[in-house]
Structure formats: structure tokens, C-alpha cells
Amino acid sequence: MTLTVCVGASGSGKTTFLNDVHKSHKCTYIRQYHNLRPYIKVSKIPDFDPTALPYWQIYVNENKASSVIVGGTIAGQFMPGLSGGQRKLLLFELIFQRTASQENLLIVLDEPFAGVTDDFVPFIVGRLNEMRKKHNILLVTNDHVDTLKQMADNTVTVSAIDRSKVRINDMEGVDRELALLAMVIGDDYKQQRSDGDLQFFVDVEFSKNGGIPFIAGFGVFAWSLFLLMFWNSQPGSEALVLVAAGIISFFIANPYFLQLCDWRIFMIEEAEALLHSSKEMNRFLKMCLAIALLIIITTFQFICQNFVIDTLNSTYFYFAILFDNISLMVAILCLGLYTDLPDQAVQIIGSMPFLFMIFFSTTFSPGAGVKGVKNLRYLFSRYYLWCEVPGVNQTMEGCPEENNLVYLIMAALLVPIIFVAYMVVRRTFRKLHHEKAAISRRESMKSMAFAQLQVELFGEKALKKLQHIGSEADLQKLALSFDMGSSAGDGTVHSFHDDDDEESV
């Protein structure tokens, strides 16, 4: 297998080159500043032996081995734990252990030495030499360049002057897109799923820094104030009690839902670092946890309302309040977990249901509004809730005579239904685009230029790969030129892994 080093001046596009390789291939990718949820306990990472870390004995001696967390910042909150360099070594060792049982992967590392002191460099070099026996490695570095060049089989040089071309070993003016295509060789990583992944999710998300304890504490404080200030409310004040309780529920749940965007970014990078088995599984579990949290908050809201006033204690009001709360939070849930939107966009767009509820659901203006526009009230679950509230329902226009709860639930589910439809359409178009791109890549892989690059980068092994894809190049001549170059001692070191697997495209 081969180790390829990408070098170049600052700002020349080294990291961009790695990012493009990652987009083109399902490689194992560790960024320069790779994120892990800072509240993860290192000892709780499933199927990982932290004692192999060169600094771990320090925590054993201090009796902190079972409690030390990854550390870092999430959603603006800093949590002390491992240092930046220690986290880099943790990620590096995690990749080493996870990939030890497999072969022929592509491992991409961005600045593996950045933030790491010189005394740990031999550890990284040793791990690189071990991994290169089974896997192809592509990395970028600004540190210890000479050391890595001596280790490397290939050197890719990028330039800030002409980013459309790169240099590969002694080959000048190589088309960048063709170079990217030539780099993406190797199989996909196959994660071994187990019950440990589920236990890991529970351990992390219910830890003291996972957010749940904070929400619980804030909820107890807020509902205590509610009981104190609304105790002994009289019939006729149901609307005020409902509005106050609804706002309290929203602000209890909101901090947890707003951090979903950061959680999603960190979780995806964790999956890329092979920390857990599935991004989709973790998204689903987080969604279930968020919905369960909202149900618990709604239950407390319903109980506290019944303590202060006894005219809102029917089963209808429980389900009506639940789906009303869901309608206000579901947009943040969908956007935070299942889109690529940044945090600010998620907060603004995700808060629109709450804003529109104020204007269009007749919450604060029963019976008012411009004719035509005010018909939008039928899209909001809050409108149907008011249709059942004593003292308010008489002032509402157009309330359904029956099946009011059904309409309320349908209105609450309108946003997720639209979102799912959008995601299906988006995924369909992306799939078509990827299929067209794959066809174009397969045609490019049959060219002579691609064949020459493959032989330059991967030596004799590339000839078998080229034969699999039906290359139009004269493979016998390429093999002869490779043999001549090897016997002449051209300075290029190649190591081979003899397998006949088809190349991932």
C-alpha cells in the first residue's frame, strides 16, 4: 500500500484537496480540527483501548481514567478535558484501532502533527508505518515535512498560483480533477455494529454535560414559579394559563433543540472518525430523545395547569397541548438534525412556526385579521386549541363542529410532512446527479492519462485495477515501463497489496 503526502505553501489549497478527495470517495477522513462531542468520556468509547495512548498513564496515576472527557466547546459551552494535542492523538489512535482488522481502505489525514509536541511524533510515525501496511494513506502536513517525505511513496504538490494543476512526484502539470480521481482508491470501511453503540449513546447523552440535567433543573425552577404565580386561578382565565404554560414549555425545550445543529455537526465528524456505527442511527436516536423530552415537558405542563385551574383536565387538552408544542419545535428538530444549514439559519427558519403562530393562529386576535389572509389560521394547531378553550371558543370564527382534535393533529404535522417531501425530492435529484457524475468518472478512468497516474501512484497493483475498469490504455506497455523504472531505481518506493477487489468509484 502507499503513503502519499500533499505539500504546498499556506493557502495553496492542501486542505481543499483533501476535502475534494473526501467528497469523491467514502474514505476515513480526519480533519485538522476534528470535532468530537466534548462531554464524551474517553473510557466509554466502545471497542477502544485508551491505555494505548502515550499519555494515558497520567490519568491512571491521577485516578481520572474513568472520568476524563474529550473536552472542547459545543454550542458556546467550553468543557475542560483533553488538550487539543491529546484529542488529536485520541483520534489518530481511534482510527488505528478501528481499521486494524480491515484492509485496502483510504485513510485521509489533515495535519496529523498539528498541535502535537515533538515527543509524540515517533508515536504517530510508528502508527503511520503500521497503517500503511494494510491501507492507502493520504495526508497533508506543514510540520515535520522532511520526515514525512522520507516516509512517503508519493508527493503531491499543490500551488496557489495555478490551482487547476498539481505536481505528482516528477509529473508536472497534472490536471487536478484527474489527480483527485486517481487518489480515490480503496474499499469502504465496514463498521461492526453492536449493542455497545446504543449503550454509548445513552451514556453520552444522559451524562451530566449532555444537556438533559440542565433542562431538568431549569424545568423544575420554571414550573415552580408557574405554580406560585398562577395558583388558585379562577374559571375564565384559562387562556392566560394556557399562554403562560405554553411559553414556559417552549423556553424549557428551546435550549436543547437549538443545540441540535452543533450536535449534528459533531456527530457527523465522529462518524467520519469511526467513533460509532451510523450517522442515521444516531440522528434517529437523538430525534426520539428530543421528542420524548418534549412529551415529558408537556406532561409537566398539563399537570401544573391542573394544579392551578381545574377546567383544562380533559384528555383532549393533553393531546392538544402536546401536538401544539410539537408544531412549534418540529421545524428546529428537522432542520437541526437533517439539513446542512448553519446554526444561525436553523435558529431563524426553525423559529418561524412560533412567529407565524403569533400572527396567524388568532392566539392574540380572535376573530380579527384581513379577510382572506386570516384564513391561514386553519394551518395552525393553536387555532383548534382555542376552539375548545372555555371563554375563548365563543369569539372564534369557523371552528370545526366535530373532529377538532384530528384537524389540530393534522395541522401540527404539516411542517414535518412538507419537510419529508422536500427531502425525498432533494435526495432523488442528488442521486441522479451522482449517477451522472459516476458515469463521467468511469469514462475518465479509462483514459491513458488516468492509467499513467495510477501506475505512478500505486505501482503494479494499479494494473489489476485498470484491467477491472476496462482501461483503454496499453497495460502491457505500462507494466513494462513500470518494471524498467523499478529496476533503474528511480527513487519511488512502492508497496503492494495483492487483491482483485473492484475499485470504489
Side-chain angles (χ1 to χ4, degrees):
M1 311 304 285
T2 59
L3 188 152
T4 302
V5 177
C6 182
V7 298
S10 296
S12 58
K14 300 187 298 296
T15 296
T16 302
F17 187 82
L18 293 198
N19 288 336
D20 290 342
V21 169
H22 179 230
K23 292 175 184 176
S24 304
H25 185 71
K26 293 181 179 179
C27 56
T28 299
Y29 182 35
I30 299 297
R31 294 172 171 82
Q32 180 177 357
Y33 302 105
H34 208 91
N35 288 312
L36 299 177
R37 282 169 290 176
Y39 46 89
I40 292 174
K41 287 185 178 180
V42 178
S43 61
K44 294 293 185 179
I45 298 175
D47 303 318
F48 176 68
D49 179 15
T51 62
L53 292 166
Y55 56 79
W56 193 250
Q57 190 60 38
I58 297 173
Y59 295 108
V60 174
N61 296 339
E62 296 176 350
N63 294 320
K64 295 180 179 178
S66 62
S67 60
V68 64
I69 62 174
V70 169
T73 302
I74 185 172
Q77 180 184 2
F78 174 75
M79 301 175 193
L82 300 180
S83 68
Q86 288 177 323
R87 282 196 294 274
K88 179 66 70 73
L89 287 173
L90 168 64
L91 284 164
F92 197 79
E93 179 61 22
L94 183 64
I95 293 297
F96 175 77
Q97 293 187 22
R98 287 286 198 271
T99 59
S101 61
Q102 299 185 34
E103 296 183 353
N104 199 38
L105 304 178
L106 174 61
I107 299 175
V108 180
L109 307 170
D110 188 4
E111 297 283 3
F113 294 105
V116 178
T117 54
D118 290 345
D119 51 332
F120 290 138
V121 170
F123 174 82
I124 295 178
V125 171
R127 289 299 196 233
L128 284 173
N129 282 324
E130 286 293 316
M131 286 192 291
R132 71 189 293 184
K133 294 177 182 178
K134 293 184 175 182
H135 309 295
N136 293 307
I137 299 174
L138 170 63
L139 60 85
V140 155
T141 185
N142 280 326
D143 302 308
H144 305 282
V145 176
D146 292 337
T147 300
L148 282 173
K149 279 188 174 181
Q150 291 174 9
M151 294 174 56
D153 302 307
N154 304 296
T155 301
V156 177
T157 306
V158 296
S159 171
I161 298 175
D162 184 3
R163 296 197 179 193
S164 65
K165 305 290 183 182
V166 299
R167 175 180 174 177
I168 297 181
N169 298 333
D170 295 327
M171 299 176 65
E172 298 279 0
V174 178
D175 181 75
R176 184 179 185 275
E177 294 302 315
L178 196 61
L180 287 171
L181 189 58
M183 288 292 173
V184 290
I185 186 172
D187 299 332
D188 294 341
Y189 175 76
K190 296 179 180 179
Q191 177 79 41
Q192 302 298 322
R193 300 188 182 183
S194 66
D195 294 338
D197 290 313
L198 180 60
Q199 185 61 50
F200 176 66
F201 179 88
V202 173
D203 290 339
V204 173
E205 292 305 314
F206 286 90
S207 65
K208 65 178 181 180
N209 292 317
I212 298 294
F214 172 79
I215 296 299
F218 180 54
V220 170
F221 169 76
W223 289 122
S224 297
L225 289 180
F226 174 83
L227 291 173
L228 289 172
M229 299 309 298
F230 284 85
W231 189 261
N232 200 28
S233 294
Q234 299 300 311
S237 60
E238 289 87 354
L240 292 175
V241 171
L242 275 174
V243 168
I247 291 175
I248 291 172
S249 290
F250 180 83
F251 280 104
I252 291 173
N254 202 45
Y256 190 84
F257 278 71
L258 288 181
Q259 59 87 38
L260 292 178
C261 183
D262 275 351
W263 183 93
R264 175 244 304 166
I265 294 171
F266 280 51
M267 183 275 300
I268 289 176
E269 294 194 18
E270 288 173 9
E272 291 172 353
L274 315 183
L275 184 63
H276 41 67
S277 61
S278 171
K279 291 180 284 187
E280 296 308 317
M281 183 194 75
N282 277 272
R283 277 188 172 121
F284 176 76
L285 291 174
K286 187 70 170 182
M287 179 184 69
C288 292
L289 181 58
I291 293 174
L293 181 65
L294 200 56
I295 291 173
I296 293 171
I297 292 172
T298 300
T299 301
F300 274 93
Q301 176 183 344
F302 183 71
I303 293 172
C304 291
Q305 285 174 184
N306 289 331
F307 270 119
V308 301
I309 195 168
D310 60 1
T311 56
L312 300 173
N313 56 7
S314 67
T315 305
Y316 169 89
F317 279 111
Y318 176 78
F319 285 102
I321 293 167
L322 172 61
F323 280 94
D324 182 60
N325 287 339
I326 289 175
S327 72
L328 299 181
M329 305 302 303
V330 71
I332 297 178
L333 180 65
C334 293
L335 297 174
L337 291 182
Y338 290 98
T339 70
D340 298 326
L341 292 174
D343 183 62
Q344 189 176 46
V346 170
Q347 291 190 39
I348 293 174
I349 301 174
S351 298
M352 287 298 177
F354 186 86
L355 182 66
F356 289 159
M357 176 274 295
I358 294 174
F359 291 118
F360 298 124
S361 71
T362 69
T363 296
F364 301 105
S365 56
V370 175
K371 186 177 181 180
V373 176
K374 67 179 183 178
N375 289 334
L376 292 173
R377 64 182 182 266
Y378 296 119
L379 300 178
F380 294 89
S381 55
R382 181 65 61 87
Y383 168 77
Y384 301 100
L385 175 60
W386 292 133
C387 286
E388 297 293 329
V389 176
V392 178
N393 50 5
Q394 295 89 349
T395 64
M396 303 296 291
E397 293 182 349
C399 287
E401 295 182 1
E402 57 185 14
N403 298 323
N404 194 63
L405 183 59
V406 174
Y407 290 117
L408 186 151
I409 294 173
M410 291 173 61
L413 298 178
L414 180 63
V415 169
I417 290 172
I418 293 174
F419 181 79
V420 169
Y422 163 75
M423 292 299 291
V424 169
V425 173
R426 179 172 178 264
R427 183 163 295 184
T428 301
F429 277 102
R430 291 184 71 175
K431 184 178 180 180
L432 293 173
H433 173 74
H434 288 161
E435 288 176 352
K436 291 180 180 179
I439 293 172
S440 176
R441 287 197 298 270
R442 282 194 291 268
E443 290 303 313
S444 298
M445 290 168 67
K446 295 179 181 180
S447 67
M448 181 63 182
F450 177 83
Q452 290 174 332
L453 274 181
Q454 284 282 283
V455 172
E456 176 69 23
L457 289 167
F458 303 108
E460 186 179 3
K461 177 186 173 182
L463 297 174
K464 296 183 179 181
K465 297 292 184 181
L466 293 168
Q467 188 175 13
H468 278 301
I469 63 177
S471 176
E472 297 170 357
D474 190 331
L475 300 184
Q476 289 184 345
K477 288 184 178 180
L478 279 174
L480 180 61
S481 64
F482 171 79
D483 290 338
M484 292 176 62
S486 299
S487 62
D490 60 358
T492 302
V493 180
H494 295 280
S495 59
F496 310 119
H497 174 70
D498 189 8
D499 68 68
D500 292 328
D501 296 337
E502 290 193 17
E503 180 171 6
S504 300
V505 179

